Amino acid sequence: MQLYIENTIVLTVSYCFYGTFSWYVFMSIKSDFGSEKEIQYFKAQIVSYLIYLAATWLWTLNELKVINIDAPMLLTLAVVCHISVSCTMYLWIKYYVYHLQIDFIEKKWFRRLFSIPIYFAVILIVSAYKYDFVFHVIQKGKRAEIIYDKYYYLLYVFFGMYFVFVVIETIITATKLKERDRRQEIILFIGYMFILTPIVVFSHFLRVLTVTTVSHLAAIFFTYISIQETRVRMDGLTRLNNRRVAEEYLHKTISELVEGKEEVAVFMIDVNRFKLVNDRYGHLEGDRALVIVGNVIKKVASSNNCFVGRYGGDEFIMIFHNRLPRLNNIPKRRNTNQRSIAIEEYFENNIYNTLCKRLNKELEEECKNLNLEYELSLSVGYSVCKNSKDDPKVIIKFADEHLYQEKESYHKKNDMYKES
């Protein structure tokens, strides 16, 4: 009797801790934790886990003979427990597929096929009310007990499909990535999948429910810590460098500038008429549009060895550290002032204009490839720094002013086109 009391106290205290921590994580989730879809899936995962935790707690108390649950109620408890733990696993995998921006997430076939195994699993679990496929309840004297049936292994088959499919695709995606941080994040996710899956499987075979609750709590903890680390240096939605990192990089680059030989160019990039996308298609589609823009900018930036980040809202920043063009690359001038003007003309004609055209061309092609119902285009402003004592904030301000001049020019041009 004393042992039952001690086990009950330890179990209850442990589950209270698991639940309290999970609720703390749920309440800590903010809009900068990722895209709207990522936040929805992560919150749903925690809610599903809390339901599983409550059901498991009652079931375990019954196993310890602290309480006596009748057969119909125990069967319902088992159904709720298995559905909630299945949904917890499914939502965790779905969250990470979106979080890691795996290549296939926007494909129609993926959205249709990814939910099929969980639907079959839920149907199989609910069938326990009528058929002895996965488990059933028996009465042993005054106590009810759950007995697992021969088709119970099918639940593992369904989730094995997720495991094999997601691991293979994430490995393929990791091999294509150039960003070291994202590759490491994907490798950590795969590693955790290999740790979590055997624990869940063996805990079910051994009927040790408390082990499964700990493993799923660890999944929530792993996700939360991963997000917190990412938020320090990276934008949660686009996976680009965040504003703080961009400003630090610009400050460092300007301070190390070799005057007379190098220049630092700051490009501020803004999505034209982005508000219309949000208003007409919703914020989820707006998030998707920003990710598409971010990926295009990152692609162009990587080919030019540029730093790129999301500055805020629909505004991005690109920092270009470049050697000044040699004299034979520009027309000969009589004095230093004329030479400076020639360098500025060379930069605008050969770097700025080329960059603007390439960004918009790449974005147009990407929109066509994804069959978007709307068009996306970019306005770009820039400012060039040639002095290591220049204030980075002033450089950004000048680039912003030029950006808004370009946006005004874009709106005037398009408004005139519509009127004609």
Side-chain angles (χ1 to χ4, degrees):
M1 186 66 181
Q2 182 67 28
L3 183 60
Y4 285 147
I5 294 173
E6 289 176 358
N7 286 340
T8 304
I9 293 172
V10 171
L11 179 76
T12 304
V13 170
S14 299
Y15 277 37
C16 284
F17 170 75
Y18 303 159
T20 303
F21 176 78
S22 301
W23 185 249
Y24 167 77
V25 172
F26 182 89
M27 297 302 292
S28 300
I29 297 173
K30 299 177 181 177
S31 58
D32 61 346
F33 268 48
S35 68
E36 200 165 331
K37 277 187 178 179
E38 288 176 50
I39 292 171
Q40 286 175 356
Y41 287 130
F42 191 31
K43 282 187 171 183
Q45 178 197 350
I46 295 172
V47 170
S48 181
Y49 173 72
L50 289 171
I51 293 170
Y52 170 64
L53 201 62
T56 306
W57 177 64
L58 292 172
W59 191 354
T60 308
L61 289 180
N62 184 73
E63 292 287 314
L64 292 172
K65 299 180 181 180
V66 176
I67 58 175
N68 189 6
I69 301 175
D70 60 31
M73 182 58 72
L74 185 61
L75 182 61
T76 298
L77 205 60
V79 168
V80 171
C81 189
H82 282 84
I83 290 177
S84 58
V85 74
S86 299
C87 289
T88 301
M89 176 71 82
Y90 165 78
L91 290 164
W92 182 65
I93 295 172
K94 195 75 177 282
Y95 165 81
Y96 259 97
V97 167
Y98 277 92
H99 177 70
L100 297 174
Q101 295 179 6
I102 307 302
D103 294 340
F104 52 78
I105 58 174
E106 297 300 340
K107 305 290 184 182
K108 288 183 179 179
W109 61 264
F110 167 73
R111 292 199 292 268
R112 290 170 182 171
L113 292 178
F114 199 78
S115 299
I116 291 176
I118 187 67
Y119 289 150
F120 275 107
V122 171
I123 291 169
L124 197 60
I125 293 166
V126 173
S127 71
Y129 281 113
K130 193 170 183 180
Y131 305 103
D132 297 344
F133 288 156
V134 286
F135 53 80
H136 66 278
V137 64
I138 63 169
Q139 193 74 35
K140 282 189 175 181
K142 295 181 179 180
R143 304 194 67 83
E145 186 178 329
I146 294 293
I147 302 297
Y148 294 98
D149 295 309
K150 59 181 179 179
Y151 294 115
Y152 186 76
Y153 73 91
L154 287 176
L155 295 177
Y156 299 108
V157 172
F158 290 141
F159 282 95
M161 294 178 186
Y162 285 126
F163 177 79
V164 173
F165 180 72
V166 171
V167 167
I168 290 173
E169 288 295 334
T170 48
I171 290 173
I172 292 170
T173 301
T175 58
K176 295 178 182 178
L177 288 173
K178 295 181 180 180
E179 300 93 331
R180 183 181 174 186
D181 290 338
R182 282 201 63 207
R183 275 205 311 270
Q184 287 180 341
E185 196 172 8
I186 288 177
I187 291 167
L188 282 172
F189 168 68
I190 295 170
Y192 195 79
M193 284 281 288
F194 275 103
I195 294 170
L196 177 63
T197 303
I199 290 174
V200 173
V201 171
F202 283 117
S203 64
H204 274 293
F205 274 119
L206 297 172
R207 301 183 188 180
V208 184
L209 300 174
T210 51
V211 176
T212 314
T213 59
V214 174
S215 61
H216 284 288
L217 178 72
I220 292 172
F221 177 74
F222 172 81
T223 303
Y224 182 67
I225 294 300
S226 176
I227 291 171
Q228 294 289 33
E229 289 179 351
T230 301
R231 288 173 72 204
V232 173
R233 66 185 188 280
M234 198 176 289
D235 174 59
L237 176 63
T238 60
R239 320 302 297 158
L240 298 176
N241 296 291
N242 61 24
R243 178 171 178 164
R244 184 178 67 84
V245 174
E247 289 177 344
E248 288 177 356
Y249 177 83
L250 180 60
H251 186 276
K252 181 176 180 293
T253 306
I254 290 177
S255 65
E256 295 174 354
L257 187 65
V258 179
E259 294 178 29
K261 294 184 178 180
E262 297 175 332
E263 62 185 357
V264 176
V266 175
F267 300 95
M268 299 303 293
I269 306 166
D270 193 84
V271 185
N272 294 320
R273 301 188 185 278
F274 178 69
K275 189 175 182 298
L276 290 177
V277 177
N278 267 337
D279 293 344
R280 187 171 297 177
Y281 300 97
H283 290 284
L284 282 176
E285 190 61 32
D287 284 348
R288 184 190 176 201
L290 288 175
V291 172
I292 292 168
V293 170
N295 288 337
V296 167
I297 295 173
K298 183 164 56 178
K299 179 182 176 182
V300 174
S302 62
S303 64
N304 291 280
N305 296 318
C306 295
F307 175 96
V308 64
R310 184 184 178 196
Y311 203 68
D314 59 331
E315 195 169 16
F316 298 82
I317 185 171
M318 189 185 290
I319 301 171
F320 181 48
H321 189 189
N322 184 43
R323 293 188 66 84
L324 289 173
R326 295 177 182 177
L327 286 173
N328 58 6
N329 288 338
I330 59 175
K332 292 183 179 180
R333 303 286 175 167
R334 292 183 179 179
N335 55 50
T336 305
N337 187 47
Q338 288 177 325
R339 180 183 182 279
S340 179
I341 293 171
I343 290 174
E344 288 177 11
E345 290 175 353
Y346 176 86
F347 182 89
E348 180 153 349
N349 295 329
N350 292 275
I351 297 177
Y352 171 70
N353 289 338
T354 303
L355 177 67
C356 292
K357 289 176 183 176
R358 188 178 172 197
L359 280 170
N360 279 295
K361 183 181 178 182
E362 293 276 358
L363 186 56
E364 183 182 359
E365 289 176 359
E366 187 67 12
C367 291
K368 287 179 180 177
N369 291 338
L370 295 171
N371 295 317
L372 297 185
E373 298 178 15
Y374 49 87
E375 295 180 355
L376 291 171
S377 65
L378 304 172
S379 291
V380 184
Y382 80 94
S383 179
V384 179
C385 170
K386 299 186 182 71
N387 192 323
S388 60
K389 294 180 181 179
D390 284 346
D391 187 347
K393 292 181 180 178
V394 175
I395 300 299
I396 291 174
K397 180 185 175 184
F398 287 157
D400 251 334
E401 289 174 356
H402 183 213
L403 169 65
Y404 285 106
Q405 289 173 13
E406 292 297 315
K407 284 190 74 70
E408 282 182 13
S409 175
Y410 168 85
H411 287 296
K412 286 178 182 177
K413 181 179 177 182
N414 281 270
D415 290 342
M416 286 176 63
Y417 176 77
K418 286 180 181 180
E419 288 173 5
S420 62

